[in-house]
Amino acid sequence: MEPNKPQRNSTSETVRQSQTINKEEEQILLQPYNYILRLGKEQFMGLNLVNAFNYWLKIPQDKLIAIKDMEHMVETSILILDDIQDNSTLRSGIPVAHNIYGTPSAINAVFYTISIGLERVNKLNHPKAAQIYAEQLKQFCAGQGTEIYWRDNDICPSEAAYKRMAIQKMSALVTMMWKLMQLFSDYEKDVTTLIGTLGLYYQIRNDYSNLYLDEYAKGKGYCEDLTEGKFSFPIIHAIQKNPGDKEIRNILNQKSTDIELKRHCVNLLNKVGSYEYTRNVLEELDKEARNEVERLGGNPLFHKVLDSLLNWKN
């Protein structure tokens, strides 16, 4: 009698098993993503915007829940990716995901989650949904990539170029939410100006907060943008106002972690008026956004979103 031979799966069975991802495997893949979720939903502006948009759009509840779920996944993934690209160490006061789970696993979690987001979009059962999802992700990557290119190639953009980048980058996810929701609504007013204004406002506010707000420093580290070497809005203003003075640019090029050197740079920005100029721009953008909300018929939930962004006034 021949000894018992081990059973072997057929090739087709092996292929089938390899294409099936069980819950245990998925939890491993999503560890960096789930780690960032501990920040709490209040950290994610997109969820509040979905509710504000729905004040106008009034889409069915099942579509609203699905779009909220997708938006939260994509926004969380973008935070993980942004921390990797900026070489950040903190996110809202806790170590960044890629420093806990490693950069390769964090990047893989980003792509895995964005793929799940596409699955959720397809479940909306609308022929235009996937196209909207892909186009706005492409817009975000284009804006993000432009900002990284300036930083890594030591190119100080014009203020106009910065504003185009900021609107492209920061408005992409908001536009995605709006367009997906609009597929299931009869509301037809054009909110492009409002979304663009909000995107620019949000980007400049982030740049300002990074340099001037103590609460931001606690969450991300003191003046992290200077360590990154980023051409943020106040930096661009200062360099363009005094193109012959290389002091600020030399500090930026060092990408230093020295707190005293960074404080010196902030003082230089104040002396050339970048602090005051940036605050004036933020004031104007806040006013423009509120006026646009009123032009569209008013929206108390949108005003709450704008109110939540006013911590830079402190």
Side-chain angles (χ1 to χ4, degrees), residues 282-299:
L282 287 171
E283 288 274 10
E284 186 60 30
L285 288 170
D286 176 67
K287 181 180 178 181
E288 288 177 10
R290 292 177 190 275
N291 288 341
E292 190 64 12
V293 169
E294 292 309 307
R295 187 190 69 81
L296 292 166
N299 186 326

Side-chain angles (χ1 to χ4, degrees), residues 30-83:
L30 289 175
Q31 282 181 333
Y33 169 83
N34 289 326
Y35 170 78
I36 291 298
L37 288 182
R38 71 176 64 183
L39 297 178
K41 289 189 176 182
E42 66 275 4
Q43 297 288 330
F44 299 88
M45 187 180 72
L47 296 176
N48 292 329
L49 277 174
V50 171
N51 290 329
F53 284 153
N54 204 45
Y55 181 86
W56 286 321
L57 294 167
K58 296 178 173 54
I59 67 173
Q61 189 67 16
D62 61 328
K63 303 299 183 185
L64 180 66
I65 293 172
I67 291 172
K68 276 187 176 182
D69 187 34
M70 178 278 303
E71 187 284 330
H72 192 41
M73 296 183 72
V74 174
E75 188 175 0
T76 305
S77 299
I78 286 174
L79 293 181
I80 297 172
L81 182 63
D82 193 62
D83 286 340

Side-chain angles (χ1 to χ4, degrees), residues 107-171:
I107 292 174
N108 193 75
V110 169
F111 283 105
Y112 189 80
T113 308
I114 287 175
S115 298
I116 295 174
L118 178 58
E119 290 179 345
R120 302 288 172 85
V121 167
N122 283 331
K123 289 181 180 179
L124 292 173
N125 294 320
H126 195 286
K128 294 182 179 180
Q131 180 182 350
I132 291 171
Y133 184 81
E135 176 59 31
Q136 295 310 314
L137 280 179
K138 185 171 71 173
Q139 290 294 326
F140 168 80
C141 290
Q144 181 88 331
T146 298
E147 187 176 38
I148 292 170
Y149 177 78
W150 291 336
R151 178 196 70 191
D152 292 351
N153 291 275
D154 191 28
I155 299 171
C156 181
S158 66
E159 184 176 316
Y162 169 95
K163 288 180 176 179
R164 287 194 297 272
M165 175 280 298
I167 292 171
Q168 184 177 44
K169 170 186 171 182
M170 300 304 295
S171 299

Side-chain angles (χ1 to χ4, degrees), residues 88-292:
S88 299
T89 58
L90 293 174
R91 164 67 63 181
S92 296
I94 65 173
V96 291
H98 65 275
N99 281 353
I100 300 293
Y101 296 97
T103 300
S105 291
I107 292 174
N108 193 75
V110 169
F111 283 105
Y112 189 80
T113 308
I114 287 175
S115 298
I116 295 174
L118 178 58
E119 290 179 345
R120 302 288 172 85
V121 167
N122 283 331
K123 289 181 180 179
L124 292 173
N125 294 320
H126 195 286
K128 294 182 179 180
Q131 180 182 350
I132 291 171
Y133 184 81
E135 176 59 31
Q136 295 310 314
L137 280 179
K138 185 171 71 173
Q139 290 294 326
F140 168 80
C141 290
Q144 181 88 331
T146 298
E147 187 176 38
I148 292 170
Y149 177 78
W150 291 336
R151 178 196 70 191
D152 292 351
N153 291 275
D154 191 28
I155 299 171
C156 181
S158 66
E159 184 176 316
Y162 169 95
K163 288 180 176 179
R164 287 194 297 272
M165 175 280 298
I167 292 171
Q168 184 177 44
K169 170 186 171 182
M170 300 304 295
S171 299
L173 186 56
V174 181
T175 301
M176 179 195 295
M177 290 185 291
W178 174 264
K179 288 189 173 183
L180 288 174
M181 294 175 72
Q182 199 174 32
L183 295 175
F184 308 100
S185 174
D186 294 328
Y187 188 89
E188 296 181 350
K189 289 186 179 180
D190 185 2
V191 300
T192 303
T193 299
L194 175 60
I195 291 176
T197 301
L198 182 66
L200 180 58
Y201 179 39
Y202 197 70
Q203 178 69 48
I204 295 176
R205 171 186 170 274
N206 282 354
D207 289 353
Y208 174 90
S209 300
N210 188 282
L211 296 175
Y212 293 109
L213 292 191
D214 289 339
E215 65 182 73
Y216 198 96
K218 291 176 183 177
K220 293 283 287 180
Y222 180 70
C223 294
E224 186 196 48
D225 283 353
L226 298 180
T227 301
E228 181 191 336
K230 175 182 175 181
F231 287 99
S232 66
F233 189 77
I235 291 285
I236 292 169
H237 172 265
I239 291 175
Q240 291 187 340
K241 188 170 182 180
N242 293 282
D245 189 343
K246 302 298 182 184
E247 191 171 357
I248 291 175
R249 192 153 192 163
N250 287 341
I251 294 173
L252 196 68
N253 288 341
Q254 291 183 47
K255 300 184 178 180
S256 176
T257 59
D258 186 294
I259 291 179
E260 292 306 318
L261 183 61
K262 292 197 281 188
R263 282 178 179 159
H264 177 66
C265 187
V266 171
N267 288 333
L268 292 174
L269 294 173
N270 294 345
K271 287 180 181 178
V272 299
S274 298
Y275 170 81
E276 183 179 0
Y277 180 76
T278 303
R279 287 180 67 90
N280 289 339
V281 171
L282 287 171
E283 288 274 10
E284 186 60 30
L285 288 170
D286 176 67
K287 181 180 178 181
E288 288 177 10
R290 292 177 190 275
N291 288 341
E292 190 64 12

